Amino acid sequence: MAVPVQHVSCPPFMDQRPGTSGLRKKVRRFAEPHYLAMFVQAIFDGVGELKGSTIALGGDGRYFNREASAIILRMAAAHGIARIVVGQGGILSTPAVSNIIRARGLKGGIILSASHNPGGPEGDFGIKYNVGNGGPAPESVTEAIFALSQRLTGYDILPESAGSIDLDRLGTQQLGPLSVEVVDPVADYAALMEKLFDFGRMRAWLKTNRILFDAMHAVTGPYATEILVRRLGAPASSVINAVPKPDFGNHHPDPNPAHAEELMARLWAADAPALGAASDGDGDRNMILGPKLAVTPSDSLAVLAANATLVPGYAKGIRGVARSMPTSRAADVVAQALGIESFETPTGWKFFGNLLDADRVTLCGEESYGTGSDHVREKDGLWAVLFWLDLLAATGKTVPSILAAHWARFGRHYYSRHDYEALESAKANDIMGDLRKRLPDLRGRHGIELADDFRYQDPIDGSVSEKQGVRLVFADGGRLVLRLSGTGTEGATLRLYIERFEPKTGRLDLEPREALADLIALAEELIGIKRLSGRRQPDVVT
Ligand code: VG1
Ligand code: CO
């Protein structure tokens, strides 16, 4: 029976340019008639031939996840996509999508998430496309999608009368010509973790030590429960906020000290567990805590690189490390000591894909609580937690002692990020523009050796990305970096990154605030965010 594809005419939406990680807008915007469908059509038309192929679909369970999934399935059927692998309930973490694409050799996948952004009807929604290597579409593809979105005159969809898919029922169902396989979101991912880490050793460690994992009412709840509780034998109370909610329990699912209050309080209490951790909305970020101690994400990457061979998945050693430009240079120092390559890329996981595919790097990281490896092509929150857990189990050491030993060997990169959120866009652009103009004058003053706007040339395919953030690099190794966020949905967010290197012979036990005080003051003198924005302090300090 011929399927009655419906063509819906609609003028294009002009605001569908993907940012650092997909298209993010208020739910309100996404729920406007045709808005989501038009962007999905731009994806289908912009990523290459999808007709007859199989793709993955899953989201972080936030508000609008189900509605969006249903629309995408009907559009996929109309577009001639042969098969879709979708997580039960429409749910898959971002790293799980990446794994499914890779493990099953799929053409790509669609992820419904605005990651760490708040959810609920008044919150944010997002959508992004991952390509066949399992990673976020590169800029060439996202720009092609954007260009198409501005020219579209409509989209194709199966009418609702064509039927619907029960996303809660495991197994294969049919929607017109499209077959839809509803899979357990956790199984494949958990199996992958068992290949990388020593589950027996971790199980033994958990008999005498405690972990506390905060799923922040986001997607990792079921993953953490399956892996930490069922497979590793930790008590059920080890996972808090474990039930995913469409509004994340009204919280900001952003695993940092500012947003994971309950977890922080537990780790600062007298009977703190040995390891504390949290993940974000879509499960790709991680925060690592020890008793009364938060591990800076940049340090976490460096520690994992330095100790990788202790873990089965990396026992043969790592090829190289990559970090985003604003991430501290702690990992570079480790790479140098190990005699392996290190790379500096623009912000956003999509820039690691080529390096991973070419086997130039094994570990990657971002200061924004993102760490990952070549096991998938996304950052992976729970993976990072298991890596730390396995390190603790392998060494019998504590989080504070691992860090202290690391700094004593490599020196310490004191680090902090100051976010000024929801600034008036014009004002934020002025602050950036003004600094850019003054870069030539800043060189040579205040010990500034390099003052530029980061430009990246991909070492594998030669593609160039300009204006990826202004950096002021000091002769003593310190750095100030300023860039505009590409994930916000309200006004503009400025991020100021502050870094100072203390050699191993120096003071390694200062509070970052204290260690960075002079640089923070200098940043205000040179850039003047507070002066020019009228804000008294940053909204979030991590
Ligand atoms: C932020 C982070 C960046 C990260 C991106 C997506 O981008 O700084 O490091 O890759 O979020 O993370 P921006 O442009 O706002 O600085 V997630 O967890 O939203 O997938
Ligand atoms: Co995320």
Side-chain angles (χ1 to χ4, degrees):
M1 196 183 78
V3 187
V5 171
Q6 198 182 332
H7 180 77
V8 179
S9 295
C10 178
F13 294 94
M14 304 310 275
D15 64 343
Q16 297 192 326
R17 177 179 237 142
T20 312
S21 178
L23 181 70
R24 294 186 194 181
K25 299 281 174 198
K26 293 279 171 214
V27 166
R28 249 183 280 120
R29 183 75 171 138
F30 262 110
E32 280 174 34
H34 316 305
Y35 189 88
L36 171 85
M38 289 291 276
F39 188 68
V40 171
Q41 189 66 55
I43 292 179
F44 285 171
D45 292 344
V47 300
E49 189 57 84
L50 288 180
K51 292 189 173 64
S53 68
T54 305
I55 63 170
L57 171 65
D60 62 12
R62 69 177 58 224
Y63 187 85
F64 201 55
N65 195 112
R66 276 188 186 259
E67 292 85 339
S69 302
I71 292 172
I72 292 167
L73 291 172
R74 281 162 54 215
M75 287 184 68
H79 192 72
I81 291 171
R83 191 176 176 83
I84 290 204
V85 180
V86 57
Q88 191 174 26
I91 291 194
L92 281 170
S93 77
T94 289
V97 172
S98 187
N99 179 47
I100 283 180
I101 293 172
R102 295 169 64 74
R104 299 178 182 226
L106 307 189
K107 179 87 181 173
I110 292 178
I111 300 177
L112 304 176
S113 172
S115 189
H116 56 286
N117 296 23
E122 297 304 316
D124 293 344
F125 191 76
I127 173 167
K128 73 170 180 166
Y129 185 78
N130 280 25
V131 293
N133 74 349
E139 266 194 339
S140 55
V141 176
T142 56
E143 285 300 304
I145 293 172
F146 175 54
L148 269 170
S149 76
Q150 297 188 296
R151 294 201 302 268
L152 278 184
T153 55
Y155 60 93
D156 294 330
I157 189 163
L158 283 203
E160 284 185 44
S161 58
S164 62
I165 295 292
D166 177 359
L167 284 177
D168 296 313
R169 179 153 56 90
L170 292 174
T172 300
Q173 304 166 49
Q174 210 59 35
L175 181 62
L178 173 74
S179 55
V180 178
E181 184 185 352
V182 179
V183 299
D184 173 348
V186 181
D188 288 11
Y189 178 83
L192 175 63
M193 294 302 112
E194 294 225 28
K195 279 194 221 143
L196 297 173
F197 302 110
D198 188 333
F199 271 52
R201 180 164 75 191
M202 292 191 286
R203 209 176 295 122
W205 185 86
L206 283 165
K207 287 202 163 49
T208 47
N209 299 278
R210 281 180 299 132
I211 182 175
L212 188 64
F213 179 85
D214 185 353
M216 305 192 93
H217 288 304
V219 78
T220 48
Y223 292 84
T225 303
E226 172 64 26
I227 294 172
L228 298 175
V229 179
R230 289 207 199 97
R231 301 198 185 197
L232 291 173
S237 56
S238 307
V239 183
I240 56 171
N241 301 319
V243 179
K245 293 187 179 169
D247 64 352
F248 308 117
N250 248 328
H251 284 120
H252 212 122
D254 193 352
N256 64 39
H259 291 303
E261 267 174 65
E262 179 184 353
L263 179 70
M264 296 295 289
R266 297 275 293 273
L267 266 293
W268 261 255
D271 63 341
L275 179 61
S279 191
D280 71 331
D282 61 330
D284 58 358
R285 294 188 178 205
N286 75 91
M287 172 168 68
I288 301 294
L289 305 168
K292 294 196 174 61
L293 179 140
V295 181
T296 305
S298 300
D299 277 347
S300 179
L301 174 65
V303 167
L304 299 189
N307 297 288
T309 53
L310 294 172
V311 161
Y314 310 94
K316 293 202 190 98
I318 54 173
R319 300 281 301 188
V321 289
R323 60 166 175 83
S324 67
M325 184 275 280
T327 303
S328 98
R329 301 196 280 193
D332 302 19
V333 177
V334 173
Q336 211 174 10
L338 296 177
I340 57 175
E341 281 188 293
S342 63
F343 296 87
E344 182 176 52
T345 61
T347 293
W349 213 262
K350 59 189 168 209
F351 293 103
F352 294 135
N354 280 344
L355 293 168
L356 289 162
D357 286 350
D359 208 15
R360 293 281 286 275
V361 301
T362 308
L363 299 183
C364 307
E366 295 193 277
E367 52 65 41
S368 53
Y369 297 83
T371 336
S373 88
D374 58 0
H375 69 292
V376 287
R377 292 293 181 275
E378 287 279 4
K379 54 190 187 274
D380 188 344
L382 210 45
W383 167 88
V385 177
L386 292 171
F387 204 138
W388 271 92
L389 178 57
D390 208 7
L391 280 187
L392 297 182
T395 59
K397 293 187 182 151
T398 63
V399 175
S401 70
I402 287 179
L403 266 188
H406 187 89
W407 295 330
R409 181 171 166 207
F410 298 105
R412 179 171 180 184
H413 291 74
Y414 286 104
Y415 192 83
S416 184
R417 180 176 112 182
H418 291 190
D419 294 335
Y420 294 83
E421 295 179 341
L423 295 169
E424 219 178 285
S425 294
K427 208 169 261 179
N429 286 327
D430 281 354
I431 295 174
M432 281 300 301
D434 174 63
L435 178 61
R436 283 198 172 106
K437 250 188 270 145
R438 288 186 293 111
L439 288 178
D441 307 334
L442 288 173
R443 268 171 228 135
R445 289 176 51 206
H446 304 282
I448 295 174
E449 267 187 345
L450 174 81
D452 73 351
D453 204 339
F454 183 53
R455 172 186 187 273
Y456 180 63
Q457 178 157 33
D458 186 298
I460 311 299
D461 68 14
S463 61
V464 170
S465 303
E466 307 270 3
K467 292 192 160 184
Q468 295 297 317
V470 170
R471 52 182 183 177
L472 308 178
V473 184
F474 297 83
D476 63 2
R479 288 196 310 163
L480 289 172
V481 172
L482 186 72
R483 58 179 284 281
L484 279 166
S485 156
T487 57
T489 59
E490 236 179 279
T493 291
L494 271 176
R495 304 202 197 285
L496 171 67
Y497 310 81
I498 308 127
E499 171 182 351
R500 179 167 87 74
F501 179 63
E502 183 81 21
K504 61 183 177 189
T505 47
R507 287 289 306 272
L508 300 175
D509 57 353
L510 298 173
E511 278 299 316
R513 209 172 348 107
E514 205 183 331
L516 297 170
D518 290 351
L519 256 184
I520 291 169
L522 184 60
E524 182 54 27
E525 184 187 327
L526 299 180
I527 308 171
I529 304 180
K530 289 181 195 145
R531 187 175 69 244
L532 298 170
S533 71
R535 296 277 176 93
R536 267 199 237 125
Q537 62 204 32
D539 298 276
V540 180
V541 173
T542 51

